[in-house]
Amino acid sequence: MTRTRRNRVRLRLVRAVIAGSLIAVGVGLGAFNDWWVALFFGIPLVFVGIAISPRASRVSELPEFRRATSPDAPQVEVEALTRSSLTADDLQPTMVTATINPPNDTAYRARWITSMTKGNFQSLTESPFTTLPPDSLPPRDQTDTPEFDDQPGRWALAYPVVTLLVAGALLFGVAGGWHVEGPSLSGFDSALDSDDDPSAEEEASSLADRHRRMLEAIVEYEGPEATRNVLALRYQLDSSSDQAIVLDPATGRATSVLVGDGYSNSSAVPNTDRANKTFDATAIDPNVLGSVAEPMVAAVRPYSTEPELERIAIERAAPDAPVLITGTIEPGEGVFEDYTVQATPDGTVAEFFDPADFQKSFELARRELAAARVPLNAPVIEEFIIQGIADGVSPVTAGPIQNSGGVLVRYRIADRGGELAVAPGYFPSSSISAGRYRADGFRFDSISAEVFDRVRADLMTRASVPEYDRDAVGAEVELDRISDTQEFVIRMEIANTDGAEGLYTLDGRFIKEGR
């Protein structure tokens, strides 16, 4: 018995024990208590026990055929396939005759029976070369020739026997102890009103399983090496449909692999991306991928009512850019734009913030300027922009934060110029252009979050802006090229209110309305 089969037998025995326990508890509670206990507890427990109990079938005791995803997996050359198709099910017992080539070992010929999908059967019929995980290899020395009549085997009968023994032992062992003192029916009804949303653990497990399923589908349709040439992975969490875009490095063509509950297919898709945008999908750890779901939702929870992670995309934003996991979150009632939160393959989640919190925006700007070695007390800042994320805020300027909101700083130092951007839910970005520049800006230390707060309060008073629009703000420190003084000024605008725009000096004194 192989290690994989031993594990499967152990798992089915555990299921049999659990099933027997649930059936016994359900029967005991229903027989010795009030009717509502039987209705709401006893009957459901019995049905759950029956549902999870292992049942014998033609494939229940057979290992499921699965291809290996690692490049060093044992190579297999299939010589013959015999599929026993007595029913229309996708999984059918299939006898495989093949030559096994384990790494660093001699090849051997083996014959075994496995449960195989129709897609895998057709794939092996067209191309007999495949790979198997090391724990799924048939034994080198086979004493008996496998036959279809040997299935499902004696273990299939052992599981229901274990279920019945456990149920009988527990039911009669407890005897009269099944009676419990419970609440009144009205109190019990209120206890049923619980949240049926999936827990964070269930969501993480589901995403991890879907990633594993996708890796297997890529190997099935495109071969073991295809997992290294993936352009994008997309998981639609509000449905069962997932997609991978795979590049053929020999031709530059791309294939879309779609996987869902009970179906999968592949088709050619238009493509202009090349190998410098591909990544190794097996480097994305399924457990790490599953673990980022809850932190992504938690990051936006202070700014939304009922956030829900809708989809996950994994790709490079540009050629040779880092691989990023991007989550799209539906924020719930009252917010009309979806939120975006990024994460790295090691599980680090980007910070989500509200740029209208001027203290936070200034803190992030100072951090990025220090990291870029831009002095805060020198006149090198050309432009400083804060764009809120509330509904109605218009883009302050064209650039990396125009669609997402955030903080943008443009600077010029003697030997270089550049810009720094921090957007909610995104990792900081920067661009640098070398050259010779004249320091002709303003000092970052000459502005502060306190001054911006005073300017906003004054503008709200002048334009009679309601308090609920306080965060719908866009602010910019720029050179006033219209006036004779040619000085740097603060221009601030609050959305959704006519006339809520004004110019202020860097120390917060009102200059005029409008631009």
Side-chain angles (χ1 to χ4, degrees):
M1 184 182 293
T2 64
R3 184 176 62 182
T4 301
R5 185 173 182 183
R6 285 196 299 269
N7 292 337
R8 186 171 63 254
V9 169
R10 292 193 189 101
L11 179 61
R12 285 179 165 271
L13 287 174
V14 170
R15 283 177 55 191
V17 171
I18 295 175
S21 302
L22 291 175
I23 293 172
V25 173
V27 172
L29 290 177
F32 293 93
N33 292 278
D34 293 336
W35 66 269
W36 56 266
V37 177
L39 179 63
F40 294 111
F41 289 102
I43 294 176
L45 285 173
V46 171
F47 272 103
V48 171
I50 294 174
I52 69 171
S53 62
R55 286 177 292 277
S57 72
R58 301 178 66 242
V59 296
S60 60
E61 298 308 303
L62 292 174
E64 184 175 352
F65 178 86
R66 55 190 177 94
R67 300 172 188 263
T69 57
S70 58
D72 57 347
Q75 302 293 315
V76 177
E77 181 180 355
V78 177
E79 300 173 8
L81 291 172
T82 304
R83 183 174 169 87
S84 176
S85 301
L86 296 180
T87 65
D89 294 338
D90 187 43
L91 278 175
Q92 294 288 354
T94 304
M95 182 179 294
V96 182
T97 304
T99 300
I100 314 296
N101 294 276
N104 305 318
D105 202 350
T106 58
Y108 66 96
R109 193 167 181 268
R111 178 179 295 172
W112 72 102
I113 297 178
T114 180
S115 63
M116 185 178 294
T117 64
K118 186 177 181 180
N120 278 326
F121 179 84
Q122 292 175 342
S123 176
L124 290 175
T125 303
E126 296 170 359
S127 176
F129 299 97
T130 186
T131 57
L132 288 177
D135 60 354
S136 298
L137 293 179
R140 182 182 291 268
D141 299 320
Q142 294 178 314
T143 56
D144 299 318
T145 300
E147 299 290 345
F148 286 115
D149 292 340
D150 297 336
Q151 305 302 323
R154 64 181 185 277
W155 279 106
L157 300 176
Y159 306 132
V161 171
V162 170
T163 300
L164 292 175
L165 289 177
V166 171
L170 184 58
L171 181 62
F172 296 106
V174 176
W178 289 109
H179 180 71
V180 294
E181 295 294 335
S184 65
L185 188 58
S186 59
F188 177 74
D189 289 340
S190 64
L192 290 178
D193 189 17
S194 60
D195 184 8
D196 58 359
D197 288 339
S199 66
E201 291 80 3
E202 291 171 337
E203 191 172 66
S205 175
S206 172
L207 185 54
D209 291 341
R210 289 169 71 159
H211 183 57
R212 295 187 184 97
R213 180 181 69 177
M214 178 58 77
L215 293 179
E216 292 178 355
I218 293 172
V219 171
E220 177 180 346
Y221 284 102
E222 300 298 312
E225 294 297 323
T227 55
R228 300 179 179 218
N229 301 306
V230 174
L231 290 168
L233 294 173
R234 301 185 181 110
Y235 299 100
Q236 193 70 31
L237 302 185
D238 55 1
S239 74
S240 66
S241 180
D242 302 324
Q243 181 188 38
I245 304 297
V246 183
L247 177 72
D248 183 347
T251 64
R253 297 175 180 173
T255 301
S256 169
V257 178
L258 289 175
V259 183
D261 290 343
Y263 72 90
S264 64
N265 60 68
S266 68
S267 60
V269 292
N271 174 60
T272 57
D273 294 325
R274 293 299 177 254
N276 54 9
K277 281 200 69 178
T278 63
F279 62 93
D280 185 354
T282 61
I284 307 298
D285 186 280
N287 295 323
V288 174
L289 179 60
S291 70
V292 303
E294 174 55 25
M296 283 182 171
V297 175
V300 307
R301 191 167 282 122
Y303 311 100
S304 55
T305 54
E306 296 179 356
E308 183 177 346
L309 185 61
E310 288 188 329
R311 56 186 177 273
I312 288 282
I314 307 172
E315 58 191 331
R316 299 184 192 271
D320 297 319
V323 178
L324 290 176
I325 303 168
T326 302
T328 301
I329 300 170
E330 199 281 316
E333 185 178 356
V335 182
F336 299 101
E337 295 291 336
D338 289 344
Y339 290 146
T340 298
V341 179
Q342 293 180 333
T344 57
D346 65 1
T348 303
V349 177
E351 182 179 8
F352 195 94
F353 67 99
D354 188 350
D357 180 353
F358 291 146
Q359 291 287 347
K360 184 64 176 179
S361 292
F362 270 79
E363 173 191 332
L364 294 173
R366 287 178 178 273
R367 184 188 71 187
E368 296 306 312
L369 287 169
R373 298 180 293 108
V374 177
L376 304 180
N377 57 358
V380 297
I381 308 300
E382 283 198 327
E383 201 171 8
F384 175 65
I385 298 168
I386 294 177
Q387 181 180 312
I389 58 175
D391 293 328
V393 177
S394 300
V396 177
T397 184
I401 67 168
Q402 66 179 13
N403 296 321
S404 62
V407 182
L408 178 66
V409 185
R410 293 188 172 112
Y411 64 90
R412 287 192 178 187
I413 307 179
D415 61 340
R416 58 192 168 97
E419 65 179 23
L420 306 169
V422 187
Y426 291 80
F427 291 105
S429 63
S430 63
S431 63
I432 299 175
S433 57
R436 298 187 63 83
Y437 298 98
R438 183 175 62 182
D440 194 19
F442 66 93
R443 293 179 296 107
F444 190 81
D445 279 347
S446 65
I447 57 175
S448 67
E450 291 75 17
V451 171
F452 271 50
D453 281 327
R454 289 204 310 270
V455 168
R456 173 166 52 186
D458 181 79
L459 185 58
M460 291 178 67
T461 301
R462 290 178 183 274
S464 299
V465 176
E467 181 62 27
Y468 53 75
D469 276 336
R470 181 177 183 274
D471 294 337
V473 64
E476 180 180 17
V477 179
E478 62 177 353
L479 185 63
D480 183 8
R481 303 182 187 277
I482 300 177
S483 67
D484 297 333
T485 58
Q486 295 281 300
E487 294 180 341
F488 281 92
V489 296
I490 300 173
R491 183 179 67 84
M492 188 173 293
E493 180 180 6
I494 300 177
N496 309 319
T497 300
D498 293 336
E501 183 177 14
L503 292 182
Y504 293 78
T505 63
L506 296 190
D507 59 1
R509 289 180 288 113
F510 177 74
I511 300 176
K512 66 174 184 177
E513 292 182 354
R515 293 179 177 270

